[in-house]
Amino acid sequence: MIASHLLAYYFTELHHDHVQRVSMLQQPGYQRLHENRTIIELKLRRELVWLSVIKHKFALVLFAETGDFLALDLGGTNFRVLLVRVSSNGKQKVEMENQIYAIPENIMRGSGTELFDHIAECLANFLEKLGIKDKKLPLGFTFSFPCQQTKLDESFLVSWTKGFKASGVEGRDVVGLLRKAIKKRGDFDIDIVAVINDTVGTMMTCGYDDHHCEIGLIVGTGTNACYMEEMRHLELVDGDEGRMCVNMEWGAFGDDGALDDIRTEFDREIDAGSLNPGKQLFEKMISGMYMGELVRLILVKMAKDGLLFQGHTTPDLLTTGHFQTSFVSAIENKKSSEGLLRAEQVLRGLGLDSSPEDCVAVQRVCQIVSTRAAHLCAAALAAVLRQIRDNKRLRTTVGVDGSVYKNHPQFARRLNKMVRLLVPDCDVRFLRSEDGSGKGAAMVTAVAYRLAKQHAERQRILDSLRLDRDQLLEVKRRMEEEMKRGLAEKAHTTAAVKMLPTFVRATPDGTERGDFLALDLGGTNFRVLLVRVRSGKRRSVEMHNKIYTIPQDITQGTGEELFDHIVHCIADFLEYMGMKGASLPLGFTFSFPCHQTRLDQGILIKWTKGFKASGCEGEDVATLLKDAIHRSEEFELDVVAVVNDTVGTMMTCGYEDPQCEVGLIVGTGTNACYMEEMSNVELVDGDEGRMCVNMEWGAFGDRGELDDVCTEFDRAVDDQSTYPGKQRYEKMISGMYLGEIVRNVLLDFTAKGLLFRGKLSERLKTRGIFETKFLSQIESDRLALRQVRSILQHLGLTSSTCDDSILVKEVCSVVSKRAAQLCGAGLAAVVDKIRLNRDLEKLSITVGVDGTLYKLHPHFASIMRETLRDLAPDCEVTLVQSEDGSGKGAALITAVACRLRDARK
């Protein structure tokens, strides 16, 4: 009768309605949680902030690992050091040796230096004992406290739990503190590869045996859980494909008041007397550190109210910590009679004279407290299971560790049963970790160690494509030297950068007027334009154009076929404009290296950009065009000017900005031009005024100037090109080649097992299949990694992973950044030469820029601008993007030439 009265009292305190094994979910507070699971899920998800960088399910990548690995498992008053030997002789085998060490209470609550010195000392003892102190082994550090991780080997302690209070550690990187303690000793060295939470270690340990294990749960001194979350839900981490293990730190659930309606006066009293009041409230209702104390407080309350022990208490019963959680497990023995006997022994040890009814009541109090803990744990676990469920019956395994789960005779059964009641549509298996989280830490370390070596190898390869400031300054210096060689009459023939005079010496003065045709040829597409120039107050340029293609067989055929095709397109355009048979002045933008002795002549030096039409090199392209016009007998044109596209771009932008004296193209190919002092142009008579010089800088490097920054990938691209050994600078910068450089890097990575799991698609082996436009798409800040993956799938890489996508994006970024930096270094040489030519301390100048790579790549322009500013600090350069292309510039040059010709007449 007394026992029933006591239990009724206690159940009232805990909001229970029944005595016999009442489900916690029948409480008003828990009924709300049961009916509206979304609430608890949302509240729990707010705690999903501590990230462990384990991106793939452990079991899928484990079987490549062999070797010896250390593990350090720190999460309570005792910690373990382990040596884990992983071997593979057709079948994976794991052997472990371990030693348990104690952490005295004065160290737990002393300084962080003392704590980590103690850990280092124990680690040294373990290594010496096994005779491996002279070896530098990789180590995985299980650190079972709330930490913020940004990478696998760095973890900042957010707050101590489980009774720890070592000063100077919160907010610090615990890996750094351990490394410092080891370095201070100086008698051994280790490579700390990974730091993980014990829940993650438990999940990995159990995942070794059960590949369905994707949840880790600890119910011991403290409590916590982790699980595999979809990357698309993790806003704190880049990437939206695959999954990542999330360390929930669910012990802090309720710190925001979410559990206030089910916390009792006993919970509040425990919290108030703890080392961290107001923190870890969920943990304080569940874990082994507090369960015994919760029972003690209830017993004290009941005794003082005269409901137990005839109203008597003892100093031991009133002393915090004297009713241990192990007593709860012993009193709840599966055999009730043995549990009652144990209750009597425990009470006697506390100096209490207990009756049989007192023992029954104490046993029931223990049952209720532990049942509440199990059911709370089940409710939270149900929320996790619902979070990962994919609208179907979920089959998953929960890896579990912890003294309460393992040692309490009823806890596991109650937890398992309640989880199944709460999520009946999930097929849940609970797998107890027999090897602790240390084995998991070692296994993560084994995987991480291999991945770290692979990462280092990838970075070593990519580093060959990265340029430092000194290298860029040297590129600038060498470009300046080649410019001088190209301008000099004696050195011109051997110079790589030809510095070709264009005979463009004047810019529009506003009096030009008339209709002009322009032909813009620089790639497989070309434009025919009609440009109407109007002078006076309302001076304007009106343009009409049409784009035509040149089939590849014509670019590789004969010169006659090429120019006949061009003339056919011009005739089509004139008919399209209703001007069939008209005779107009024409400016010919011809974007290939030409030697000019006058404005209306251009002798092709060599084809570039994949063109190989025979019978053109060494010939005047203006004459070839005129001959084709005569063959057609459809119209007559007056070819007034042959212009390079860079010159056309400069003139187009110069029409709006008189300070524009440099033209730059970064598209299929790359080139630059600028206004040079006539006194420096030794190939042309006269030393007054200026002339635009077509640099043809794509050939920079053909004399070996870039050999020290060229990589094996550049050499592979060059070897497979139409003109090996030529246009080396262009092949490192322009749109025709960047995709091919990336493709060669990806081939190398894959062959070395560093990408796509070593599996190569046949399509990726195809030269030119990785188009440069893919770089612009992949590097777009707006592009999600799943879209990167769709590009890879287009290339036949159907099994590529999120990590593959990230690496491909990095390769693209490195290759395009180098291209932009090299272009910036060349442009720095140009503007600095103009400044020195004019003997200026500071130069203000505008560069007109055109080209698909410059216009479409999301980062090329900004990187080039930054490099230019760094390497030419005395030049204030404005980059103006040409919106009308170089064809308008060719027409304007033609208009100026016609004006000057008419003036001479």
mmCIF file with all atom_site columns, all heavy atoms in Angstrom, residues 162 197-200 202 216-225 250 286 377 399-403 405 437:
data_model
loop_
_atom_site.group_PDB
_atom_site.id
_atom_site.type_symbol
_atom_site.label_atom_id
_atom_site.label_alt_id
_atom_site.label_comp_id
_atom_site.label_asym_id
_atom_site.label_entity_id
_atom_site.label_seq_id
_atom_site.pdbx_PDB_ins_code
_atom_site.Cartn_x
_atom_site.Cartn_y
_atom_site.Cartn_z
_atom_site.occupancy
_atom_site.B_iso_or_equiv
_atom_site.pdbx_formal_charge
_atom_site.auth_seq_id
_atom_site.auth_comp_id
_atom_site.auth_asym_id
_atom_site.auth_atom_id
_atom_site.pdbx_PDB_model_num
ATOM 1   N N   . LYS A 1 162 ? 29.754 16.363 -20.002 1.00 0.00 ? 162 LYS A N   1
ATOM 2   C CA  . LYS A 1 162 ? 30.121 15.140 -19.266 1.00 0.00 ? 162 LYS A CA  1
ATOM 3   C C   . LYS A 1 162 ? 31.052 15.411 -18.097 1.00 0.00 ? 162 LYS A C   1
ATOM 4   O O   . LYS A 1 162 ? 31.900 14.571 -17.758 1.00 0.00 ? 162 LYS A O   1
ATOM 5   C CB  . LYS A 1 162 ? 30.772 14.120 -20.211 1.00 0.00 ? 162 LYS A CB  1
ATOM 6   C CG  . LYS A 1 162 ? 29.952 13.821 -21.445 1.00 0.00 ? 162 LYS A CG  1
ATOM 7   C CD  . LYS A 1 162 ? 30.711 12.932 -22.411 1.00 0.00 ? 162 LYS A CD  1
ATOM 8   C CE  . LYS A 1 162 ? 30.021 12.871 -23.748 1.00 0.00 ? 162 LYS A CE  1
ATOM 9   N NZ  . LYS A 1 162 ? 30.774 12.137 -24.759 1.00 0.00 ? 162 LYS A NZ  1
ATOM 10  N N   . ASN A 1 197 ? 33.635 12.444 -33.868 1.00 0.00 ? 197 ASN A N   1
ATOM 11  C CA  . ASN A 1 197 ? 32.859 12.249 -32.667 1.00 0.00 ? 197 ASN A CA  1
ATOM 12  C C   . ASN A 1 197 ? 32.665 10.752 -32.434 1.00 0.00 ? 197 ASN A C   1
ATOM 13  O O   . ASN A 1 197 ? 32.719 9.957  -33.369 1.00 0.00 ? 197 ASN A O   1
ATOM 14  C CB  . ASN A 1 197 ? 31.509 12.958 -32.845 1.00 0.00 ? 197 ASN A CB  1
ATOM 15  C CG  . ASN A 1 197 ? 30.698 12.965 -31.587 1.00 0.00 ? 197 ASN A CG  1
ATOM 16  O OD1 . ASN A 1 197 ? 29.951 12.032 -31.329 1.00 0.00 ? 197 ASN A OD1 1
ATOM 17  N ND2 . ASN A 1 197 ? 30.843 14.014 -30.798 1.00 0.00 ? 197 ASN A ND2 1
ATOM 18  N N   . ASP A 1 198 ? 32.412 10.361 -31.171 1.00 0.00 ? 198 ASP A N   1
ATOM 19  C CA  . ASP A 1 198 ? 32.253 8.931  -30.880 1.00 0.00 ? 198 ASP A CA  1
ATOM 20  C C   . ASP A 1 198 ? 31.045 8.335  -31.595 1.00 0.00 ? 198 ASP A C   1
ATOM 21  O O   . ASP A 1 198 ? 31.047 7.151  -31.935 1.00 0.00 ? 198 ASP A O   1
ATOM 22  C CB  . ASP A 1 198 ? 32.168 8.667  -29.375 1.00 0.00 ? 198 ASP A CB  1
ATOM 23  C CG  . ASP A 1 198 ? 31.099 9.492  -28.676 1.00 0.00 ? 198 ASP A CG  1
ATOM 24  O OD1 . ASP A 1 198 ? 30.537 10.403 -29.309 1.00 0.00 ? 198 ASP A OD1 1
ATOM 25  O OD2 . ASP A 1 198 ? 30.840 9.232  -27.486 1.00 0.00 ? 198 ASP A OD2 1
ATOM 26  N N   . THR A 1 199 ? 29.996 9.142  -31.831 1.00 0.00 ? 199 THR A N   1
ATOM 27  C CA  . THR A 1 199 ? 28.849 8.604  -32.560 1.00 0.00 ? 199 THR A CA  1
ATOM 28  C C   . THR A 1 199 ? 29.242 8.236  -33.990 1.00 0.00 ? 199 THR A C   1
ATOM 29  O O   . THR A 1 199 ? 28.822 7.202  -34.518 1.00 0.00 ? 199 THR A O   1
ATOM 30  C CB  . THR A 1 199 ? 27.707 9.643  -32.617 1.00 0.00 ? 199 THR A CB  1
ATOM 31  O OG1 . THR A 1 199 ? 28.206 10.871 -33.133 1.00 0.00 ? 199 THR A OG1 1
ATOM 32  C CG2 . THR A 1 199 ? 27.124 9.883  -31.248 1.00 0.00 ? 199 THR A CG2 1
ATOM 33  N N   . VAL A 1 200 ? 30.067 9.084  -34.605 1.00 0.00 ? 200 VAL A N   1
ATOM 34  C CA  . VAL A 1 200 ? 30.539 8.808  -35.965 1.00 0.00 ? 200 VAL A CA  1
ATOM 35  C C   . VAL A 1 200 ? 31.413 7.562  -35.956 1.00 0.00 ? 200 VAL A C   1
ATOM 36  O O   . VAL A 1 200 ? 31.291 6.689  -36.820 1.00 0.00 ? 200 VAL A O   1
ATOM 37  C CB  . VAL A 1 200 ? 31.315 10.016 -36.525 1.00 0.00 ? 200 VAL A CB  1
ATOM 38  C CG1 . VAL A 1 200 ? 31.799 9.728  -37.940 1.00 0.00 ? 200 VAL A CG1 1
ATOM 39  C CG2 . VAL A 1 200 ? 30.453 11.270 -36.501 1.00 0.00 ? 200 VAL A CG2 1
ATOM 40  N N   . THR A 1 202 ? 31.255 5.113  -33.851 1.00 0.00 ? 202 THR A N   1
ATOM 41  C CA  . THR A 1 202 ? 30.375 3.958  -33.636 1.00 0.00 ? 202 THR A CA  1
ATOM 42  C C   . THR A 1 202 ? 29.677 3.570  -34.928 1.00 0.00 ? 202 THR A C   1
ATOM 43  O O   . THR A 1 202 ? 29.595 2.382  -35.265 1.00 0.00 ? 202 THR A O   1
ATOM 44  C CB  . THR A 1 202 ? 29.332 4.296  -32.550 1.00 0.00 ? 202 THR A CB  1
ATOM 45  O OG1 . THR A 1 202 ? 30.010 4.525  -31.315 1.00 0.00 ? 202 THR A OG1 1
ATOM 46  C CG2 . THR A 1 202 ? 28.329 3.171  -32.378 1.00 0.00 ? 202 THR A CG2 1
ATOM 47  N N   . GLY A 1 216 ? 24.479 6.519  -35.962 1.00 0.00 ? 216 GLY A N   1
ATOM 48  C CA  . GLY A 1 216 ? 25.278 6.163  -34.787 1.00 0.00 ? 216 GLY A CA  1
ATOM 49  C C   . GLY A 1 216 ? 24.617 6.748  -33.550 1.00 0.00 ? 216 GLY A C   1
ATOM 50  O O   . GLY A 1 216 ? 24.145 7.884  -33.560 1.00 0.00 ? 216 GLY A O   1
ATOM 51  N N   . LEU A 1 217 ? 24.584 5.970  -32.468 1.00 0.00 ? 217 LEU A N   1
ATOM 52  C CA  . LEU A 1 217 ? 23.918 6.408  -31.240 1.00 0.00 ? 217 LEU A CA  1
ATOM 53  C C   . LEU A 1 217 ? 24.783 6.057  -30.042 1.00 0.00 ? 217 LEU A C   1
ATOM 54  O O   . LEU A 1 217 ? 25.301 4.938  -29.958 1.00 0.00 ? 217 LEU A O   1
ATOM 55  C CB  . LEU A 1 217 ? 22.553 5.730  -31.108 1.00 0.00 ? 217 LEU A CB  1
ATOM 56  C CG  . LEU A 1 217 ? 21.792 5.919  -29.789 1.00 0.00 ? 217 LEU A CG  1
ATOM 57  C CD1 . LEU A 1 217 ? 21.419 7.383  -29.585 1.00 0.00 ? 217 LEU A CD1 1
ATOM 58  C CD2 . LEU A 1 217 ? 20.552 5.034  -29.757 1.00 0.00 ? 217 LEU A CD2 1
ATOM 59  N N   . ILE A 1 218 ? 24.963 7.010  -29.152 1.00 0.00 ? 218 ILE A N   1
ATOM 60  C CA  . ILE A 1 218 ? 25.679 6.787  -27.889 1.00 0.00 ? 218 ILE A CA  1
ATOM 61  C C   . ILE A 1 218 ? 24.717 7.094  -26.743 1.00 0.00 ? 218 ILE A C   1
ATOM 62  O O   . ILE A 1 218 ? 24.106 8.162  -26.708 1.00 0.00 ? 218 ILE A O   1
ATOM 63  C CB  . ILE A 1 218 ? 26.908 7.704  -27.756 1.00 0.00 ? 218 ILE A CB  1
ATOM 64  C CG1 . ILE A 1 218 ? 27.904 7.471  -28.903 1.00 0.00 ? 218 ILE A CG1 1
ATOM 65  C CG2 . ILE A 1 218 ? 27.578 7.496  -26.401 1.00 0.00 ? 218 ILE A CG2 1
ATOM 66  C CD1 . ILE A 1 218 ? 28.669 6.187  -28.842 1.00 0.00 ? 218 ILE A CD1 1
ATOM 67  N N   . VAL A 1 219 ? 24.590 6.126  -25.833 1.00 0.00 ? 219 VAL A N   1
ATOM 68  C CA  . VAL A 1 219 ? 23.866 6.382  -24.583 1.00 0.00 ? 219 VAL A CA  1
ATOM 69  C C   . VAL A 1 219 ? 24.743 5.825  -23.470 1.00 0.00 ? 219 VAL A C   1
ATOM 70  O O   . VAL A 1 219 ? 24.695 4.633  -23.140 1.00 0.00 ? 219 VAL A O   1
ATOM 71  C CB  . VAL A 1 219 ? 22.475 5.732  -24.549 1.00 0.00 ? 219 VAL A CB  1
ATOM 72  C CG1 . VAL A 1 219 ? 21.678 6.296  -23.353 1.00 0.00 ? 219 VAL A CG1 1
ATOM 73  C CG2 . VAL A 1 219 ? 21.715 5.953  -25.831 1.00 0.00 ? 219 VAL A CG2 1
ATOM 74  N N   . GLY A 1 220 ? 25.581 6.698  -22.934 1.00 0.00 ? 220 GLY A N   1
ATOM 75  C CA  . GLY A 1 220 ? 26.499 6.294  -21.878 1.00 0.00 ? 220 GLY A CA  1
ATOM 76  C C   . GLY A 1 220 ? 26.614 7.424  -20.877 1.00 0.00 ? 220 GLY A C   1
ATOM 77  O O   . GLY A 1 220 ? 25.606 7.927  -20.389 1.00 0.00 ? 220 GLY A O   1
ATOM 78  N N   . THR A 1 221 ? 27.851 7.808  -20.582 1.00 0.00 ? 221 THR A N   1
ATOM 79  C CA  . THR A 1 221 ? 28.053 8.963  -19.702 1.00 0.00 ? 221 THR A CA  1
ATOM 80  C C   . THR A 1 221 ? 27.293 10.167 -20.244 1.00 0.00 ? 221 THR A C   1
ATOM 81  O O   . THR A 1 221 ? 26.676 10.922 -19.506 1.00 0.00 ? 221 THR A O   1
ATOM 82  C CB  . THR A 1 221 ? 29.554 9.295  -19.610 1.00 0.00 ? 221 THR A CB  1
ATOM 83  O OG1 . THR A 1 221 ? 30.248 8.126  -19.190 1.00 0.00 ? 221 THR A OG1 1
ATOM 84  C CG2 . THR A 1 221 ? 29.796 10.418 -18.613 1.00 0.00 ? 221 THR A CG2 1
ATOM 85  N N   . GLY A 1 222 ? 27.355 10.347 -21.554 1.00 0.00 ? 222 GLY A N   1
ATOM 86  C CA  . GLY A 1 222 ? 26.550 11.360 -22.236 1.00 0.00 ? 222 GLY A CA  1
ATOM 87  C C   . GLY A 1 222 ? 25.713 10.684 -23.299 1.00 0.00 ? 222 GLY A C   1
ATOM 88  O O   . GLY A 1 222 ? 25.675 9.448  -23.391 1.00 0.00 ? 222 GLY A O   1
ATOM 89  N N   . THR A 1 223 ? 25.045 11.470 -24.122 1.00 0.00 ? 223 THR A N   1
ATOM 90  C CA  . THR A 1 223 ? 24.284 10.884 -25.225 1.00 0.00 ? 223 THR A CA  1
ATOM 91  C C   . THR A 1 223 ? 24.387 11.779 -26.450 1.00 0.00 ? 223 THR A C   1
ATOM 92  O O   . THR A 1 223 ? 24.478 13.015 -26.336 1.00 0.00 ? 223 THR A O   1
ATOM 93  C CB  . THR A 1 223 ? 22.803 10.676 -24.857 1.00 0.00 ? 223 THR A CB  1
ATOM 94  O OG1 . THR A 1 223 ? 22.138 10.023 -25.955 1.00 0.00 ? 223 THR A OG1 1
ATOM 95  C CG2 . THR A 1 223 ? 22.103 12.010 -24.570 1.00 0.00 ? 223 THR A CG2 1
ATOM 96  N N   . ASN A 1 224 ? 24.386 11.145 -27.608 1.00 0.00 ? 224 ASN A N   1
ATOM 97  C CA  . ASN A 1 224 ? 24.482 11.877 -28.869 1.00 0.00 ? 224 ASN A CA  1
ATOM 98  C C   . ASN A 1 224 ? 24.121 10.935 -30.003 1.00 0.00 ? 224 ASN A C   1
ATOM 99  O O   . ASN A 1 224 ? 24.027 9.714  -29.805 1.00 0.00 ? 224 ASN A O   1
ATOM 100 C CB  . ASN A 1 224 ? 25.904 12.431 -29.061 1.00 0.00 ? 224 ASN A CB  1
ATOM 101 C CG  . ASN A 1 224 ? 25.998 13.428 -30.203 1.00 0.00 ? 224 ASN A CG  1
ATOM 102 O OD1 . ASN A 1 224 ? 24.995 13.976 -30.641 1.00 0.00 ? 224 ASN A OD1 1
ATOM 103 N ND2 . ASN A 1 224 ? 27.202 13.665 -30.681 1.00 0.00 ? 224 ASN A ND2 1
ATOM 104 N N   . ALA A 1 225 ? 23.922 11.498 -31.179 1.00 0.00 ? 225 ALA A N   1
ATOM 105 C CA  . ALA A 1 225 ? 23.634 10.691 -32.362 1.00 0.00 ? 225 ALA A CA  1
ATOM 106 C C   . ALA A 1 225 ? 24.234 11.366 -33.584 1.00 0.00 ? 225 ALA A C   1
ATOM 107 O O   . ALA A 1 225 ? 24.494 12.572 -33.596 1.00 0.00 ? 225 ALA A O   1
ATOM 108 C CB  . ALA A 1 225 ? 22.123 10.516 -32.546 1.00 0.00 ? 225 ALA A CB  1
ATOM 109 N N   . TRP A 1 250 ? 22.893 16.122 -30.093 1.00 0.00 ? 250 TRP A N   1
ATOM 110 C CA  . TRP A 1 250 ? 21.520 16.251 -29.639 1.00 0.00 ? 250 TRP A CA  1
ATOM 111 C C   . TRP A 1 250 ? 21.378 16.387 -28.124 1.00 0.00 ? 250 TRP A C   1
ATOM 112 O O   . TRP A 1 250 ? 20.298 16.681 -27.624 1.00 0.00 ? 250 TRP A O   1
ATOM 113 C CB  . TRP A 1 250 ? 20.638 15.143 -30.201 1.00 0.00 ? 250 TRP A CB  1
ATOM 114 C CG  . TRP A 1 250 ? 20.711 13.774 -29.565 1.00 0.00 ? 250 TRP A CG  1
ATOM 115 C CD1 . TRP A 1 250 ? 21.434 13.377 -28.495 1.00 0.00 ? 250 TRP A CD1 1
ATOM 116 C CD2 . TRP A 1 250 ? 19.965 12.634 -30.015 1.00 0.00 ? 250 TRP A CD2 1
ATOM 117 N NE1 . TRP A 1 250 ? 21.216 12.053 -28.230 1.00 0.00 ? 250 TRP A NE1 1
ATOM 118 C CE2 . TRP A 1 250 ? 20.313 11.568 -29.150 1.00 0.00 ? 250 TRP A CE2 1
ATOM 119 C CE3 . TRP A 1 250 ? 19.045 12.397 -31.025 1.00 0.00 ? 250 TRP A CE3 1
ATOM 120 C CZ2 . TRP A 1 250 ? 19.770 10.286 -29.287 1.00 0.00 ? 250 TRP A CZ2 1
ATOM 121 C CZ3 . TRP A 1 250 ? 18.515 11.127 -31.161 1.00 0.00 ? 250 TRP A CZ3 1
ATOM 122 C CH2 . TRP A 1 250 ? 18.873 10.081 -30.304 1.00 0.00 ? 250 TRP A CH2 1
ATOM 123 N N   . ILE A 1 286 ? 18.680 11.928 -19.902 1.00 0.00 ? 286 ILE A N   1
ATOM 124 C CA  . ILE A 1 286 ? 18.873 10.599 -20.499 1.00 0.00 ? 286 ILE A CA  1
ATOM 125 C C   . ILE A 1 286 ? 20.125 9.886  -20.015 1.00 0.00 ? 286 ILE A C   1
ATOM 126 O O   . ILE A 1 286 ? 20.096 8.685  -19.713 1.00 0.00 ? 286 ILE A O   1
ATOM 127 C CB  . ILE A 1 286 ? 18.944 10.720 -22.037 1.00 0.00 ? 286 ILE A CB  1
ATOM 128 C CG1 . ILE A 1 286 ? 17.592 11.127 -22.609 1.00 0.00 ? 286 ILE A CG1 1
ATOM 129 C CG2 . ILE A 1 286 ? 19.408 9.407  -22.681 1.00 0.00 ? 286 ILE A CG2 1
ATOM 130 C CD1 . ILE A 1 286 ? 17.605 11.324 -24.110 1.00 0.00 ? 286 ILE A CD1 1
ATOM 131 N N   . CYS A 1 377 ? 14.864 9.062  -25.705 1.00 0.00 ? 377 CYS A N   1
ATOM 132 C CA  . CYS A 1 377 ? 15.860 8.701  -26.719 1.00 0.00 ? 377 CYS A CA  1
ATOM 133 C C   . CYS A 1 377 ? 15.170 8.152  -27.961 1.00 0.00 ? 377 CYS A C   1
ATOM 134 O O   . CYS A 1 377 ? 15.525 8.487  -29.095 1.00 0.00 ? 377 CYS A O   1
ATOM 135 C CB  . CYS A 1 377 ? 16.824 7.675  -26.127 1.00 0.00 ? 377 CYS A CB  1
ATOM 136 S SG  . CYS A 1 377 ? 18.290 7.405  -27.113 1.00 0.00 ? 377 CYS A SG  1
ATOM 137 N N   . GLY A 1 399 ? 23.872 1.855  -35.254 1.00 0.00 ? 399 GLY A N   1
ATOM 138 C CA  . GLY A 1 399 ? 25.004 1.366  -34.465 1.00 0.00 ? 399 GLY A CA  1
ATOM 139 C C   . GLY A 1 399 ? 24.985 2.034  -33.099 1.00 0.00 ? 399 GLY A C   1
ATOM 140 O O   . GLY A 1 399 ? 24.904 3.260  -33.020 1.00 0.00 ? 399 GLY A O   1
ATOM 141 N N   . VAL A 1 400 ? 25.044 1.257  -32.029 1.00 0.00 ? 400 VAL A N   1
ATOM 142 C CA  . VAL A 1 400 ? 24.861 1.817  -30.685 1.00 0.00 ? 400 VAL A CA  1
ATOM 143 C C   . VAL A 1 400 ? 26.018 1.439  -29.776 1.00 0.00 ? 400 VAL A C   1
ATOM 144 O O   . VAL A 1 400 ? 26.529 0.316  -29.819 1.00 0.00 ? 400 VAL A O   1
ATOM 145 C CB  . VAL A 1 400 ? 23.541 1.327  -30.043 1.00 0.00 ? 400 VAL A CB  1
ATOM 146 C CG1 . VAL A 1 400 ? 23.159 2.229  -28.863 1.00 0.00 ? 400 VAL A CG1 1
ATOM 147 C CG2 . VAL A 1 400 ? 22.414 1.279  -31.042 1.00 0.00 ? 400 VAL A CG2 1
ATOM 148 N N   . ASP A 1 401 ? 26.413 2.392  -28.945 1.00 0.00 ? 401 ASP A N   1
ATOM 149 C CA  . ASP A 1 401 ? 27.432 2.163  -27.930 1.00 0.00 ? 401 ASP A CA  1
ATOM 150 C C   . ASP A 1 401 ? 27.059 2.977  -26.699 1.00 0.00 ? 401 ASP A C   1
ATOM 151 O O   . ASP A 1 401 ? 26.174 3.831  -26.740 1.00 0.00 ? 401 ASP A O   1
ATOM 152 C CB  . ASP A 1 401 ? 28.813 2.565  -28.442 1.00 0.00 ? 401 ASP A CB  1
ATOM 153 C CG  . ASP A 1 401 ? 29.943 1.880  -27.678 1.00 0.00 ? 401 ASP A CG  1
ATOM 154 O OD1 . ASP A 1 401 ? 29.656 1.168  -26.697 1.00 0.00 ? 401 ASP A OD1 1
ATOM 155 O OD2 . ASP A 1 401 ? 31.108 2.084  -28.073 1.00 0.00 ? 401 ASP A OD2 1
ATOM 156 N N   . GLY A 1 402 ? 27.742 2.695  -25.594 1.00 0.00 ? 402 GLY A N   1
ATOM 157 C CA  . GLY A 1 402 ? 27.515 3.456  -24.373 1.00 0.00 ? 402 GLY A CA  1
ATOM 158 C C   . GLY A 1 402 ? 27.126 2.552  -23.214 1.00 0.00 ? 402 GLY A C   1
ATOM 159 O O   . GLY A 1 402 ? 26.414 1.557  -23.379 1.00 0.00 ? 402 GLY A O   1
ATOM 160 N N   . SER A 1 403 ? 27.598 2.909  -22.038 1.00 0.00 ? 403 SER A N   1
ATOM 161 C CA  . SER A 1 403 ? 27.422 2.048  -20.856 1.00 0.00 ? 403 SER A CA  1
ATOM 162 C C   . SER A 1 403 ? 25.959 1.862  -20.477 1.00 0.00 ? 403 SER A C   1
ATOM 163 O O   . SER A 1 403 ? 25.560 0.770  -20.038 1.00 0.00 ? 403 SER A O   1
ATOM 164 C CB  . SER A 1 403 ? 28.206 2.639  -19.675 1.00 0.00 ? 403 SER A CB  1
ATOM 165 O OG  . SER A 1 403 ? 27.807 3.986  -19.457 1.00 0.00 ? 403 SER A OG  1
ATOM 166 N N   . TYR A 1 405 ? 23.265 1.899  -22.486 1.00 0.00 ? 405 TYR A N   1
ATOM 167 C CA  . TYR A 1 405 ? 22.650 0.981  -23.448 1.00 0.00 ? 405 TYR A CA  1
ATOM 168 C C   . TYR A 1 405 ? 23.143 -0.447 -23.228 1.00 0.00 ? 405 TYR A C   1
ATOM 169 O O   . TYR A 1 405 ? 22.367 -1.410 -23.279 1.00 0.00 ? 405 TYR A O   1
ATOM 170 C CB  . TYR A 1 405 ? 22.962 1.429  -24.871 1.00 0.00 ? 405 TYR A CB  1
ATOM 171 C CG  . TYR A 1 405 ? 22.251 0.614  -25.932 1.00 0.00 ? 405 TYR A CG  1
ATOM 172 C CD1 . TYR A 1 405 ? 20.997 0.987  -26.382 1.00 0.00 ? 405 TYR A CD1 1
ATOM 173 C CD2 . TYR A 1 405 ? 22.833 -0.533 -26.470 1.00 0.00 ? 405 TYR A CD2 1
ATOM 174 C CE1 . TYR A 1 405 ? 20.329 0.239  -27.346 1.00 0.00 ? 405 TYR A CE1 1
ATOM 175 C CE2 . TYR A 1 405 ? 22.179 -1.284 -27.434 1.00 0.00 ? 405 TYR A CE2 1
ATOM 176 C CZ  . TYR A 1 405 ? 20.929 -0.896 -27.872 1.00 0.00 ? 405 TYR A CZ  1
ATOM 177 O OH  . TYR A 1 405 ? 20.270 -1.644 -28.823 1.00 0.00 ? 405 TYR A OH  1
ATOM 178 N N   . SER A 1 437 ? 34.084 3.069  -30.360 1.00 0.00 ? 437 SER A N   1
ATOM 179 C CA  . SER A 1 437 ? 34.233 4.017  -31.469 1.00 0.00 ? 437 SER A CA  1
ATOM 180 C C   . SER A 1 437 ? 35.681 4.140  -31.935 1.00 0.00 ? 437 SER A C   1
ATOM 181 O O   . SER A 1 437 ? 35.952 4.716  -32.982 1.00 0.00 ? 437 SER A O   1
ATOM 182 C CB  . SER A 1 437 ? 33.692 5.384  -31.055 1.00 0.00 ? 437 SER A CB  1
ATOM 183 O OG  . SER A 1 437 ? 34.362 5.839  -29.890 1.00 0.00 ? 437 SER A OG  1
#
